[in-house]
Amino acid sequence: MGRLLLLVCSLLLANIVCAQSHGLRFSSHEVVPEKRTSLNLTPDEPLCLGQTTDISFELSFTPHLETYFGYILRLVTNNNQNIDIVYNQKLRRFNAVIGETVSGEFEIDSVQLYSQWSKLKLTLNPASQEVSFFLNQRPIGKGKANISSSTCYQIIFGTNDYPGFKITDIPPMNIRDIRISEGNKGIAYFPLSESSGPVALDSVKQRKATVSNAGWIKPRHQNWVQAAAITTKGSASVAFDKKNERLFIVAKDSLYQYSFRNGQLSGVLLATRRDTLSPGSQSVYDDKNGVLYNINIDEKLVSAYQPQANRWSQEFTAGPLTIYWQANKFISPADSALYIIGGYGQLQYRNDVQRYSFATREWETIDVKGDFLMPRYLAALGTSEACDTAWLIGGFGSKTGDQTINPRHTYDLLSFDVKTRSFKSLFSLKEPARPFCFANSLVIDGAARQYYALIHPIDRFNSALQLMKGSLQSPEYELMADSIPYAFHDIESFADLYYCAASKKLVAVTLFTDKNNVSSVKIYTLDFPPNKLAVVEPPKAAASNDWIWFLVAGGLVAGGVLLMMWRRRQLRQAQQAKMYTPPPAVASAVAVGQSDAVAGIAQEPAMQKEAAAIYLFGPFEVFDKEGNDITKLFTPLLRELFLLILTYTVKDGKGIASEKLYETLWGDKPLKDARNNFSVNVVKLKGILEKVGECHIGKESGKWKFDVLHNSIRVDYQHYSDLVSNAGSSTSKALAQELVQVAGRGAFLGTMHYSWLDDIKSEVSGKTTDILLNYISRADLNTEAEFIIRAANCIFIFDQLNEDALAWKCKGLILLGRHGMAKDAYLKFAKEYRENYGQEFDQSFADVTGQ
């Protein structure tokens, strides 16, 4: 009885986990071939299938990419027969191929293909020597194949390097729930529900499939990812263009926009700079007419952005603090009007409903009907698709509106009908154990009658935003995904939530304006639908010893939940290490035995932080003439622009062509807009670099270059390049020591992930490894053991599974009498090798050390 209950609880937990969003995302033509994804179901030996067998899986494509041609699935038999499913982008058609013959063709509707899952299946029939193909249970093709009851198969999704059948062309796709059944009996099921690592597990017979360049889907639905961060002058505000999936950031002297389709952040300086940006002002985008508005509620002014003139239609005057902090807003296309609801200021909560007509340019406070709206702020508002109904939930306020008379949280949900101008109270959420308020917007799922919101406590500065999903018909709700750090002070902070329907992403934005009137804006994304953390409570035990089994089952469930929480925290920390603002900590790979504290070896002094310096090894850092860290002045766009010019200048001394810059940074824009963006941002970049030292960014022979004048700035990459060019065929000790000092700081731009940078990183890694191994192989181990260990550690930064570096490190440690540390280094290496390649390291400790 107890064992049965334990099994039931375990299966229930497994079902809940698999019910959440999962699968494997394949990197494709958007990256270089060696970075593309492969899933090999048969890495150790082929799968022999004697009876009729079904192989099924679910497929979707990743939207908003350029190239989709390629192989989805390839089977290769032991008699060299290939069976493929291939996508022909030109014809927008899938081909089922046996050998060199197309045995079936089919199409998947674009809406289905890019936003939903389709089930594909192929049936291998050795008796009739036929392969049949199916789409969503519908036959789409059949053909003869050279198969029999003794045929064995290699089964590979995505790229593969199988001799004679190598593939690098694959579409950007998502795969999940791979099932193999032989003779109507399930023999393998790969749900692809992993969150990390190069291995996918079969839940039937515990087979291990290997994955290269894995893009696991599950954490993308669980962990918010910081997509961009900028700082700008004035009290910034944001607005969302849902049709084109872009976020506008309205600043005092600039206008930025971030595209969620290509991940590009761009900005322009306004032709006419505003003297002030009123605290508490908000922005909104009119989706119907394609107009961006900035709103000053206190002055009752609405200013439209004029893109041709690159200016705002009206200026706001500097005034006292707003009395409409955290007000809610929406645009109603039906009457072409902007509605403002609630707010707070000067010790007063408000329940005004204000209306601005875009047609007449008149502003009014309207009389509303229906149920009473308690004065409040920090509520959330969302609308129906037609924007004729708005839902308002929660907030903080009081019945009288007076902050001194019983202020409190409220959790009521009301609807507002634009046509009748009336409120209707729907229900209230249950009072939570820990009170919370809301970010400014609700995301409404009208078809499911659900909403999504961000909630947060308001009793602390170091707060956090938590996603919740609720019903528009009942007071139940549940918490989703992980949390987002949020610096909260009601008159200095703002948070909002949006939804990209085409990209299927939720977007969270946080703003904080400091005492110097500088706004920090952070943008986060989460793939939709979000996952939740499931907790299973076993039923109450009967009055018998079975309570022990329930306790064990509960412990396993709790342990699984804690493990998931730990993984989520680790993933979030890893993702935060990739963020640009503030500058990241050193992100160089601490490979096997890399830490000299572990090795017991005195570290050669690292390069000291100094004035007028630019570091590309380790974290990207820039120091001005006085030695101040000014890295934070580089926005993501400015940083990538600078690195493009700098790295291409150092690499060949020639620089980078304008066309290459435009294509890399503004490939989605017309040439005229790309030139304007470049002109604006290169001026900003020059202003920052003037603080570092004497330098020049200019065009020479048609290419943009970065030159340091009078040796006034130390650039570690330039120093590295000079060392490498002087290395020759025989590396001197002095050069090797200098190289370790420069490159030992960390991986080259280790936290920067640009596709154009991959080849440069690869070249730096290869040259560093080759030069240091060249020296180590000729060095006297008896007299230079300590430096050889330092050099091996440096190699591990760039190639964490370099077997030669492991051998020299272990030999050096043994020579110095540190046998235990040598063995530890070997065991860690073997563990890393197993985790990366899915197989054991084939050399023993004695083989490595030569003992």
Side-chain angles (χ1 to χ4, degrees):
M1 174 65 178
R3 290 179 176 84
L4 177 61
L5 291 170
L6 178 59
L7 177 62
V8 169
C9 288
S10 300
L11 289 175
L12 183 56
L13 176 60
N15 287 336
I16 290 175
V17 170
C18 290
Q20 302 191 81
S21 296
H22 61 281
L24 179 63
R25 175 159 295 179
F26 286 68
S27 297
S28 173
H29 298 274
E30 72 277 9
V31 298
V32 294
E34 59 267 29
K35 297 292 184 180
R36 297 175 189 174
T37 305
S38 172
L39 170 63
N40 189 346
L41 302 190
T42 53
D44 299 322
E45 59 183 5
L47 184 63
C48 298
L49 302 168
Q51 304 179 54
T52 299
T53 300
D54 291 335
I55 301 175
S56 66
F57 59 94
E58 294 188 11
L59 167 78
S60 67
F61 275 4
T62 304
H64 308 312
L65 293 174
E66 183 176 349
T67 305
Y68 286 87
F69 166 76
Y71 288 75
I72 294 162
L73 170 65
R74 165 156 277 184
L75 276 63
V76 181
T77 69
N78 52 356
N79 54 12
N80 291 328
Q81 170 83 74
N82 61 287
I83 302 168
D84 309 320
I85 298 178
V86 189
Y87 183 66
N88 186 329
Q89 181 178 4
K90 184 178 180 180
L91 300 177
R92 297 184 181 180
R93 186 174 299 164
F94 292 83
N95 292 333
V97 180
I98 302 174
E100 297 182 358
T101 303
V102 176
S103 299
E105 296 180 340
F106 62 96
E107 297 179 4
I108 300 178
D109 176 76
S110 59
V111 175
Q112 171 81 19
L113 182 59
Y114 292 102
S115 62
Q116 301 175 39
W117 294 94
S118 298
K119 186 175 181 179
L120 276 69
K121 183 179 74 172
L122 56 86
T123 298
L124 308 169
N125 189 332
S128 63
Q129 292 191 318
E130 288 182 329
V131 181
S132 302
F133 300 87
F134 300 84
L135 170 65
N136 297 324
Q137 307 302 323
R138 176 174 57 87
I140 53 172
K142 179 192 296 187
K144 288 290 185 179
N146 184 16
I147 59 175
S148 67
S149 59
S150 60
T151 300
C152 300
Y153 302 81
Q154 299 283 350
I155 306 173
I156 306 172
F157 290 83
T159 66
N160 80 75
D161 55 3
Y162 191 76
F165 297 91
K166 184 175 181 177
I167 291 172
T168 58
D169 288 326
I170 64 171
M173 61 184 178
N174 307 296
I175 299 290
R176 72 177 185 184
D177 294 340
I178 303 172
R179 302 177 188 271
I180 304 176
S181 60
E182 183 182 17
N184 296 321
K185 179 183 178 181
I187 62 171
Y189 172 44
F190 295 89
L192 304 182
S193 58
E194 286 77 11
S195 295
S196 62
V199 175
L201 294 178
D202 161 32
S203 62
V204 178
K205 295 186 177 180
Q206 286 69 55
R207 296 180 180 89
K208 291 184 178 180
T210 58
V211 186
S212 299
N213 304 313
W216 295 111
I217 290 177
K218 186 175 180 179
R220 300 171 68 96
H221 294 258
Q222 188 70 45
N223 307 303
W224 289 94
V225 176
Q226 186 173 329
I230 69 167
T231 55
T232 186
K233 297 178 182 178
S235 300
S237 59
V238 293
F240 182 62
D241 171 7
K242 66 180 182 181
K243 180 179 179 181
N244 297 298
E245 297 188 344
R246 54 182 177 166
L247 180 77
F248 291 97
I249 304 169
V250 177
K252 179 179 177 181
D253 58 357
S254 309
L255 176 65
Y256 299 90
Q257 59 176 288
Y258 180 82
S259 170
F260 294 99
R261 293 184 177 175
N262 61 23
Q264 291 291 323
L265 176 66
S266 58
V268 294
L269 286 172
L270 298 175
T272 303
R273 303 190 183 187
R274 295 188 284 186
D275 294 330
T276 183
L277 196 59
S278 301
S281 68
Q282 294 199 39
S283 296
V284 65
Y285 189 80
D286 184 347
D287 292 295
K288 181 179 179 180
N289 299 301
V291 181
L292 174 66
Y293 294 102
N294 190 215
I295 310 158
N296 187 318
I297 308 174
D298 299 88
E299 291 188 83
K300 303 189 184 306
L301 290 177
V302 175
S303 183
Y305 177 66
Q306 301 168 330
Q308 300 301 324
N310 191 25
R311 55 171 292 170
W312 293 94
S313 61
Q314 293 194 63
E315 296 296 326
F316 300 151
T317 59
L321 291 179
T322 179
I323 59 172
Y324 294 101
W325 291 111
Q326 308 283 351
N328 299 101
K329 62 194 177 296
F330 70 97
I331 290 178
S332 166
D335 57 349
S336 186
L338 167 70
Y339 287 82
I340 308 287
I341 301 177
Y344 164 80
Q346 298 183 11
L347 305 180
Q348 194 75 23
Y349 306 108
R350 315 193 70 85
N351 62 353
D352 311 18
V353 177
Q354 302 179 66
R355 179 181 180 273
Y356 172 79
S357 170
F358 293 110
T360 64
R361 297 186 180 182
E362 294 181 351
W363 195 295
E364 62 178 327
T365 299
I366 65 174
D367 294 326
V368 295
K369 306 173 184 176
D371 294 327
F372 173 67
L373 173 68
M374 187 183 89
R376 70 188 69 196
Y377 78 141
L378 294 171
L381 182 145
T383 66
S384 62
E385 187 66 28
C387 297
D388 55 357
T389 301
W391 288 271
L392 186 75
I393 189 170
F396 192 88
S398 71
K399 289 186 176 181
T400 63
D402 191 331
Q403 186 179 357
T404 64
I405 303 177
N406 193 27
R408 61 184 179 86
H409 290 80
T410 182
Y411 302 98
D412 55 342
L413 176 69
L414 302 98
S415 63
F416 176 73
D417 187 291
V418 172
K419 185 176 181 179
T420 62
R421 297 185 175 183
S422 62
F423 281 103
K424 180 180 179 181
S425 179
L426 302 177
F427 53 78
S428 289
L429 306 181
K430 182 181 178 181
E431 193 85 16
R434 297 180 61 185
F436 57 77
C437 285
F438 291 79
N440 203 251
S441 296
L442 292 174
V443 169
I444 302 295
D445 183 348
R449 302 297 293 169
Q450 294 175 335
Y451 66 85
Y452 293 86
L454 288 171
I455 59 175
H456 61 93
I458 62 172
D459 59 353
R460 65 204 68 181
F461 176 75
N462 293 315
S463 187
L465 294 168
Q466 175 64 56
L467 182 68
M468 66 176 285
K469 179 176 76 173
S471 169
L472 294 174
Q473 299 172 310
S474 61
E476 290 77 23
Y477 67 90
E478 55 188 343
L479 303 183
M480 316 294 290
D482 65 355
S483 58
I484 302 171
Y486 182 39
F488 176 75
H489 182 211
D490 59 352
I491 62 172
E492 295 173 341
S493 306
F494 187 85
D496 221 331
L497 179 68
Y498 309 109
Y499 177 58
C500 298
S503 300
K504 298 192 74 174
K505 291 180 183 292
L506 287 168
V507 174
V509 184
T510 66
L511 297 90
F512 179 77
T513 305
D514 64 19
K515 61 182 179 181
N516 297 317
N517 202 27
V518 173
S519 292
S520 172
V521 184
K522 297 182 180 179
I523 305 168
Y524 301 85
T525 62
L526 178 74
D527 280 10
F528 189 87
N531 283 342
K532 62 180 180 180
L533 187 63
V535 178
V536 179
E537 296 183 3
K540 293 183 179 180
S544 71
N545 290 336
D546 287 343
W547 67 271
I548 298 175
W549 293 104
F550 284 115
L551 184 60
V552 172
L556 287 173
V557 172
V561 170
L562 290 173
L563 178 61
M564 291 170 65
M565 293 174 66
W566 177 83
R567 283 184 174 179
R568 181 181 67 182
R569 184 174 69 252
Q570 293 297 102
L571 286 168
R572 183 166 62 247
Q573 291 172 350
Q575 288 161 348
Q576 289 172 343
K578 298 178 182 177
M579 295 305 109
Y580 303 135
T581 306
V586 176
S588 57
V590 182
V592 179
Q594 182 177 326
S595 171
D596 286 319
V598 174
I601 302 299
Q603 175 74 15
E604 185 172 310
M607 291 197 310
Q608 298 296 313
K609 296 292 190 300
E610 56 186 273
I614 299 171
Y615 295 100
L616 272 62
F617 286 88
F620 171 68
E621 290 183 312
V622 181
F623 295 86
D624 67 12
K625 301 170 187 176
E626 287 74 39
N628 300 311
D629 186 347
I630 61 169
T631 314
K632 64 183 179 181
L633 298 180
F634 289 81
T635 65
L637 178 61
L638 289 178
R639 180 177 50 253
E640 186 172 6
L641 173 61
F642 176 54
L643 290 176
L644 275 164
I645 297 173
L646 173 59
T647 55
Y648 274 81
T649 300
V650 173
K651 186 175 70 167
D652 58 12
K654 297 179 181 179
I656 183 171
S658 301
E659 292 76 14
K660 177 71 173 177
L661 282 170
Y662 301 157
E663 179 186 352
T664 304
L665 298 176
W666 300 284
D668 61 331
K669 296 185 178 301
L671 181 59
K672 180 181 178 182
D673 292 347
R675 286 173 177 164
N676 290 337
N677 280 329
F678 173 74
S679 299
V680 170
N681 284 284
V682 81
V683 170
K684 292 183 178 181
L685 182 58
K686 289 178 179 179
I688 296 173
L689 293 174
E690 286 175 358
K691 304 175 186 292
V692 183
E694 295 182 65
C695 60
H696 174 69
I697 289 182
K699 203 171 185 181
E700 183 178 318
S701 301
K703 294 187 175 183
W704 287 89
K705 293 179 61 179
F706 171 74
D707 294 312
V708 175
L709 306 178
H710 312 301
N711 294 319
S712 62
I713 303 174
R714 179 183 178 89
V715 181
D716 64 349
Y717 182 36
Q718 182 65 64
H719 184 39
Y720 168 87
S721 180
D722 294 341
L723 288 172
V724 169
S725 63
N726 293 325
S729 59
S730 180
T731 307
S732 68
K733 182 175 181 180
L735 188 147
Q737 288 177 328
E738 188 109 7
L739 185 60
V740 168
Q741 186 177 358
V742 174
R745 185 171 178 267
F748 182 74
L749 293 173
T751 60
M752 304 293 114
H753 304 283
Y754 310 123
S755 59
W756 59 264
L757 189 58
D758 290 339
D759 290 342
I760 299 175
K761 285 185 174 182
S762 179
E763 182 181 0
V764 169
S765 299
K767 287 184 176 180
T768 304
T769 301
D770 291 345
I771 292 172
L772 292 180
L773 285 176
N774 176 279
Y775 177 77
I776 292 174
S777 65
R778 296 180 296 101
D780 184 350
L781 184 62
N782 293 315
T783 60
E784 297 186 61
E786 291 196 8
F787 177 70
I788 286 173
I789 294 170
R790 284 196 294 270
N793 287 337
C794 186
I795 293 171
F796 280 135
I797 293 174
F798 300 93
D799 183 1
Q800 62 179 0
L801 294 178
N802 189 287
E803 297 177 22
D804 291 328
L806 174 68
W808 286 112
K809 183 180 182 70
C810 290
K811 290 175 182 178
L813 289 169
I814 290 173
L815 186 65
L816 295 173
R818 299 180 175 92
H819 298 271
M821 293 178 181
K823 190 61 179 288
D824 287 343
Y826 168 80
L827 292 175
K828 290 179 181 178
F829 184 96
K831 179 182 177 183
E832 290 283 336
Y833 189 96
R834 182 171 58 254
E835 290 177 350
N836 278 273
Y837 296 123
Q839 62 187 40
E840 298 297 330
F841 183 46
D842 60 1
Q843 296 187 49
S844 67
F845 181 65
D847 293 334
V848 170
T849 59
Q851 293 186 333

